[in-house]
Each structure stands twice: as C-alpha cells, then as structure tokens.
Amino acid sequence: MFVKLCGLRTESDVAVAVEAGADAVGFVLTTSPRQIDADLARRLVAAVPDHVLTVAVVRGITAAEAAELALKTGVRALQLHGDYPKEAFDELAGHPFGLVRATALGPGTDVRTGAFGEELLLIDSPVAGSGEQWDITRLRDNPPTGTWVLAGGLAPETVVEAISVARPWGVDVSSGIESSRGVKDHGRMREFVAAARGAVT
C-alpha cells in the first residue's frame, strides 16, 4: 500500500515521515493552513532520501506558475489539485517532474489514471484539506483504474476500513494526522502509516 503524508511543514515532520516509512511526502505551496514558501520547501525536499517521492501540491494557480514552483523546490512530482483541464497537464508535459491529478469525484470525472497524462490519480473529498469524510462507496459505481490514491477524511482510525471499501492503490492523508490545523502530530503520522500498511487489500 502506497502511503503519502501531505502538508508537511518542518524538518521534524519530514524526518518522522521518512522514519515511519512513508512512500511520498507532500508540500503545499499555495493558500492553505499548511502552506509553506518555496525556499522552505526546497530545504525540506533536500532532506528527503531518494526512495521517498517529494510532491509539490498547488491549486488555483496557472500551469506555468505551478511549474515554476516545482522547479524551484526540486520536487520529483507536481500535484495539480482541483479543476485543472487536460490542457494544463499538456502544458506541463516534458518537465523533469511527474504529474499527479487530484480531483473530487463528480458526475463527469474521468477516473482513468493517465487520462490527462498524469502518472498518478488522487481522488479527494469535495472539500480538500478539510478532514471531512465523504461517501467513498460512490467509487463502487465509478471505480478508478490504474495507480490511484484515495484521500479525504482519512485518519489512523478510519484508513483500514476505507481501504477495504475503496480498494485503492494508495492512500493520502493530511488533516487526519494533525494535532491542530496545519500542525502535524508525529505519533499519528506513525500510526497512519502502520495502519495503512497493515490493511488487507
């Protein structure tokens, strides 16, 4: 089970994520309680070993602005979160970082990984970053294909059941491993990774 811990903001957050065995770490570079600037993100990215994927998370900015941030921070992947059109992904093709398409499940959502040229698809809550749980049973009627990650309202206490229901390739968490909004709880980070890894798929 691929595990991504998102919204990390400090060196200790990164160290705990790596030690806990996370496969990927995310850094939010646009407006959010978890936002950090590009200079701090670059320093944190530099502390992540090669076997852990580093992801810049953006929303509400242009593809060109997103590319500039990804290049400045040195991440290995860029996550476009929200209603980005395929043209945005086309514009980013050829850059030296992978692409993650993060979207909520709507009536017309294309849930085929790679449909927009992305390497990874992330299906999130309609209110991203809120920690609100959403009805993941809706995925049964429109199951994603390929390497896709489930997000939205996950926590150490809920991730095992969510995996059994949705059967994703991976999981992503941010709010569910915090002690307060934007502040990571290192114990919960470890618990989440252990619970996700122990889930039966």
Side-chain angles (χ1 to χ4, degrees):
M1 180 60 57
F2 178 91
V3 180
K4 174 169 170 273
L5 303 184
C6 201
L8 307 189
R9 299 173 63 203
T10 68
E11 291 180 5
S12 57
D13 289 348
V14 169
V16 170
V18 171
E19 180 232 334
D23 298 291
V25 290
F27 305 101
V28 181
L29 301 176
T30 51
T31 304
S32 160
R34 303 166 188 94
Q35 181 179 7
I36 58 174
D37 64 35
D39 290 334
L40 175 56
R42 184 173 185 82
R43 293 198 300 273
L44 296 181
V45 166
V48 179
D50 289 344
H51 69 274
V52 179
L53 180 67
T54 50
V55 184
V57 180
V58 301
R59 69 180 304 149
I61 62 175
T62 67
E65 291 168 329
E68 184 178 345
L69 284 172
L71 292 170
K72 186 173 183 179
T73 54
V75 291
R76 289 169 45 207
L78 172 62
Q79 179 175 317
L80 297 183
H81 212 114
D83 298 323
Y84 281 91
K86 185 177 185 301
E87 289 74 20
F89 290 84
D90 292 342
E91 186 178 335
L92 292 165
H95 280 289
F97 47 76
L99 296 174
V100 181
R101 174 166 60 105
T103 185
L105 187 66
T109 304
D110 193 326
V111 293
R112 298 170 299 156
T113 301
F116 284 28
E118 76 280 8
E119 284 82 15
L120 191 63
L121 171 66
L122 187 148
I123 304 294
D124 199 0
S125 158
V127 189
S130 66
E132 292 180 12
Q133 293 187 323
W134 60 286
D135 183 9
I136 61 174
T137 62
R138 292 166 50 209
L139 290 163
R140 291 172 176 163
D141 297 326
N142 192 14
T145 60
T147 50
W148 73 279
V149 171
L150 178 67
L154 299 181
E157 301 83 4
T158 63
V159 67
V160 172
E161 182 180 1
I163 288 170
S164 70
V165 171
R167 301 203 172 278
W169 176 80
V171 289
D172 175 281
V173 66
S174 187
S175 301
I177 50 172
E178 292 180 343
S179 55
S180 61
R181 199 150 175 77
V183 179
K184 290 294 181 274
D185 180 311
H186 294 168
R188 289 182 67 76
M189 289 169 66
R190 295 186 182 96
E191 290 167 13
F192 185 89
V193 175
R197 286 280 159 64
V200 177
T201 57

